[in-house]
Amino acid sequence: MARFRNKKRTPFVRVRQFTKKQPTVDHVTGDKIPKSFVFCRGKLPGTLRQLETDLRKLMLPFTALKLKEKKRNNLKDFLNVSGPMGVTHFLILSKTPTAPYLRVARTPQGPTLTFKIQEYSLATEIAQSQVRPRSPKDLFKNPPLIVLSGFGTGEQHLKLTTIMFQNIFPAIDVNTVKLSSCQRIVLLNYNKDTKLIDFRHYSIRLQPIGVSRRIRKFVQNHQVPDLRNLQDVSDFVTKVGYGSESEVDDEAATVSLPTDLGRVNRASNKSAVKLQEIGPRMTLQLTKIEEGLCSGGVIFSEYVNNDKSKNQKTHDEEDNNEEEEEEEEEEEEESEEEGEEED
Amino acid sequence: MESVEVANRGKRRNSGKKKGKMASKRPRLNEYKVKIDKKMKKVFEKRARDYNSDDEDEDEDEAEFTEPKRKEEEEYEVEFSDNDEEEQEEEDGFKRGEVSEDEDGGIQPGITKFADGIKAFRLAFKKIVKKSGDDDDVLGPVLSAHKKLIAEKLGEEEAEKKVKGEVKKEKNLIREKGHVKPVNYLDAHEKFLLGIATKGVVKLFNAVNKAQTAQRGLNPSRSRDEKVIKKRRKEAFFSELGRTSSQSAKTVVKVGTSGGSVDDDAPGWAPLRDNYMLTNPKLKDWDKMQDKNDEDDFGRQPQTDSSSDED
């Protein structure tokens, strides 16, 4: 018997790309499309690692979903890689015994915003808490919209925050955008009294209004309704059901669509905008803004005086001594304790 | 097996077990050695298999023992009377019979010790367990007298566990700091945020709607129409946004307006425009108008403070 040679032998390819080929420049607006890296610094517990993956999903499609980070990687390594890949922003998660921190930085030498994460919830937990969690397939194909609310007080650091967040996500051209591609929205709400920023991530859904619930469900789900108790089809169509809470739509939530979106939402008919929460939920507090990338002069600091040095010390130590993580944590603990003693 | 039959002919037998016992006594008497031949091995194994202490009671044991003893004695006497040759055996038999009375069968070291030894151990264990049922649950049935030491050791172990447990709990607390599990219902704050986000989306969609429907009538390929399109687009968009922004409360929607930074004569593609990446005076003016309201910060400014000019 002759030996059969496998002609479909695939050559050995080392796949090292961790972003797909994406346009670096938006062909409509001519602006550079911002890309981001989300990674951790230091040893993090399991829930924070989950948060990291949630944030990566949030930043899709313009981020490295499967970014491989090793213990020995410095900030410099990431910087070196970000140049050729066209990465513009870093989102860095880290943890000290007091709280986890999120740093949003603009490469290569842009400002760094440090947020203290007061509370956070994971995407899976939010899905569990909902009755009908929704996750359509193409949800993460397009970048999200961003809504910033409550930042308009005119303070310098808030303005910088708004600009930073506006630039993380790519711009949307009103004239050419397809509404079907706007499926997600990120909300950042600033509360002046508590100085906390609420971070939420929703998915957008459009529902036609003006039709009764039964007909709408019938058309959407393609399920044959139960007509046992009815005499005539007209009964089904004209039956007035009791209105549930969600049926009472505000005028404010209705939108008139320019084009058809799917079978159900027709152009120039009113549709209602329904949001459902997906993705992580965070409560952030802006603690520090630095001029450089995790370095440089401090433009703004939440706690002025002694504590400023304490915060700087912990984060600088994190940056400099990446290889000795355990010792790092000990040092941080020590420095924090010292700081507290000083106070 | 002949000898067995001979010995038991005409005699009442208690059980199969005893037959084997009886049979093996005959050849054993001569040697007084523990020589187990193949047949006896099988018998021993069978007995070990069948042995089940749960079935027997103490009383039963005693009854059984007394009966076979009597039987043995009878058989001895009868047999010995038959065979005068075995006078020695008679004495031995009696001795053995006596021994068997007292010590529960020291005659057959192989089998009897095993079965009787088990029963003896069982008796002893039962007594201990009965006695120690009154003690603390901590110690349990104790066979040795060092109760105090054991109590101390157990106490130490418990204390250690407690300390470790506390340390673990603290560690866990630090690890999970900030992690909050969301509740099942929508509370007021969440509804409020949902409302804000919805408003933002609605604003955007309406603006898009207006811009795109206005555009529909004209064909963008014709250059003359193109200018009209742009003009209309820009005005419509900004009027829409201006109106709604003054009404709503503090909401910003990030929208890149390529139309916003365009003069009427500028080409469609952004880099070809003259003021690409420069501030548009019109946009600036619009900003200043909005500053009076001081409520909203609208539109994406084409300023490039934040985006780097690496190109």
Side-chain angles (χ1 to χ4, degrees), chain A residues 8-22:
Chain A
K8 292 185 200 165
R9 204 187 298 168
T10 53
F12 173 70
V13 172
R14 186 188 288 177
V15 179
R16 270 209 40 174
Q17 53 195 117
F18 41 88
T19 47
K20 298 176 194 151
K21 295 271 177 189
Q22 281 167 345

Side-chain angles (χ1 to χ4, degrees), chain A residues 68-333:
Chain A
K68 289 207 167 31
E69 53 192 58
K70 301 249 159 115
K71 265 192 192 179
R72 59 173 181 272
N73 284 350
N74 297 347
L75 208 55
K76 271 190 222 163
D77 296 340
F78 286 110
L79 266 178
N80 290 338
V81 179
S82 66
M85 306 227 60
V87 173
T88 55
H89 290 86
F90 283 170
L91 267 76
I92 308 170
L93 276 172
S94 59
K95 177 146 170 60
T96 61
T98 44
Y101 284 86
L102 172 70
R103 277 176 282 173
V104 181
R106 178 89 178 67
T107 60
Q109 61 248 23
T112 310
L113 280 78
T114 308
F115 295 98
K116 183 174 177 180
I117 302 179
Q118 303 272 13
E119 290 175 351
Y120 64 95
S121 301
L122 302 173
T124 45
E125 291 167 354
I126 289 179
Q128 276 169 5
S129 72
Q130 287 173 344
V131 180
R132 289 194 198 93
R134 193 182 153 250
S135 174
K137 262 181 298 182
D138 302 337
L139 198 59
F140 295 101
K141 238 184 171 184
N142 302 103
L145 311 174
I146 178 156
V147 174
L148 298 153
S149 149
F151 285 95
T153 53
E155 288 169 36
Q156 193 61 22
H157 58 270
L158 293 179
K159 271 195 187 161
L160 194 53
T161 315
T162 51
I163 295 175
M164 178 72 104
F165 276 111
Q166 276 172 352
N167 290 336
I168 282 185
F169 300 105
I172 298 175
D173 181 21
V174 186
N175 302 301
T176 57
V177 69
K178 278 194 198 167
L179 284 182
S180 58
S181 68
C182 307
Q183 286 173 309
R184 292 185 290 141
I185 176 171
V186 170
L187 167 71
L188 283 146
N189 177 43
Y190 178 70
N191 189 340
K192 253 184 302 192
D193 306 321
T194 62
K195 297 202 179 165
L196 292 177
I197 301 175
D198 291 314
F199 181 102
R200 301 283 185 273
H201 183 210
Y202 301 103
S203 70
I204 298 175
R205 189 163 51 119
L206 290 165
Q207 262 184 2
I209 58 168
V211 293
S212 76
R213 201 154 167 241
R214 306 168 117 214
I215 297 180
R216 177 167 45 88
K217 286 207 181 280
F218 170 50
V219 173
Q220 276 178 338
N221 299 340
H222 301 266
Q223 275 175 350
V224 180
D226 186 6
L227 298 175
R228 257 180 301 186
N229 303 327
L230 303 175
Q231 301 279 8
D232 191 15
V233 176
S234 60
D235 288 344
F236 173 72
V237 172
T238 58
K239 185 162 182 184
V240 179
Y242 45 85
S244 68
E245 204 181 277
S246 59
E247 296 279 337
V248 181
D249 289 328
D250 303 336
E251 218 9 71
T254 59
V255 173
S256 181
L257 295 174
T259 53
D260 296 350
L261 268 178
R263 292 172 61 240
V264 199
N265 305 302
R266 298 245 162 237
S268 67
N269 281 347
K270 292 258 169 203
S271 303
V273 170
K274 294 243 157 103
L275 300 183
Q276 192 172 15
E277 187 170 3
I278 49 173
R281 187 193 284 189
M282 293 196 286
T283 310
L284 307 168
Q285 183 193 14
L286 177 63
T287 54
K288 196 166 51 152
I289 301 183
E290 287 159 307
E291 262 177 21
L293 191 69
C294 301
S295 55
V298 176
I299 303 176
F300 161 80
S301 171
E302 180 72 33
Y303 325 100
V304 205
N305 307 330
N306 296 343
D307 297 19
K308 184 163 55 166
S309 59
K310 175 172 76 170
N311 278 337
Q312 265 187 355
K313 202 172 169 191
T314 55
H315 285 294
D316 288 345
E317 281 176 3
E318 273 180 32
D319 291 338
N320 295 336
N321 311 333
E322 305 89 359
E323 290 166 3
E324 312 157 4
E325 274 144 19
E326 289 178 351
E327 291 172 24
E328 243 179 60
E329 286 175 11
E330 289 171 9
E331 281 169 30
E332 284 165 23
E333 285 176 346

Side-chain angles (χ1 to χ4, degrees), chain B residues 30-45:
Chain B
N30 291 330
E31 298 156 351
Y32 208 79
K33 248 194 281 181
V34 184
K35 227 200 219 175
I36 305 177
D37 47 322
K38 284 184 191 172
K39 291 178 189 170
M40 290 327 299
K41 213 179 183 179
K42 283 188 193 168
V43 172
F44 299 157
E45 282 170 4

Side-chain angles (χ1 to χ4, degrees), chain A residues 26-30 142 171-182 258-259, chain B residues 204 207-213 215-216 220 229-230 233 237 255-260 268-270 273:
Chain A
D26 190 354
H27 56 272
V28 178
T29 58
N142 302 103
I172 298 175
D173 181 21
V174 186
N175 302 301
T176 57
V177 69
K178 278 194 198 167
L179 284 182
S180 58
S181 68
C182 307
T259 53
Chain B
L204 173 69
V208 166
N209 185 24
K210 256 223 161 147
Q212 289 188 354
T213 45
Q215 195 188 9
R216 225 187 276 163
I229 288 173
K230 281 192 200 103
R233 198 199 296 165
F237 180 65
V255 166
T257 62
S258 61
W269 192 40
R273 296 179 205 140

Side-chain angles (χ1 to χ4, degrees), chain A residues 95-98 333 337, chain B residues 162-178:
Chain A
K95 177 146 170 60
T96 61
T98 44
E333 285 176 346
E337 283 170 9
Chain B
K162 271 191 191 167
V163 171
K164 276 190 192 170
E166 281 180 19
V167 169
K168 258 195 183 175
K169 274 188 200 168
E170 278 182 27
K171 257 195 187 174
N172 211 11
L173 253 176
I174 290 181
R175 248 183 355 147
E176 298 286 318
K177 184 105 186 251

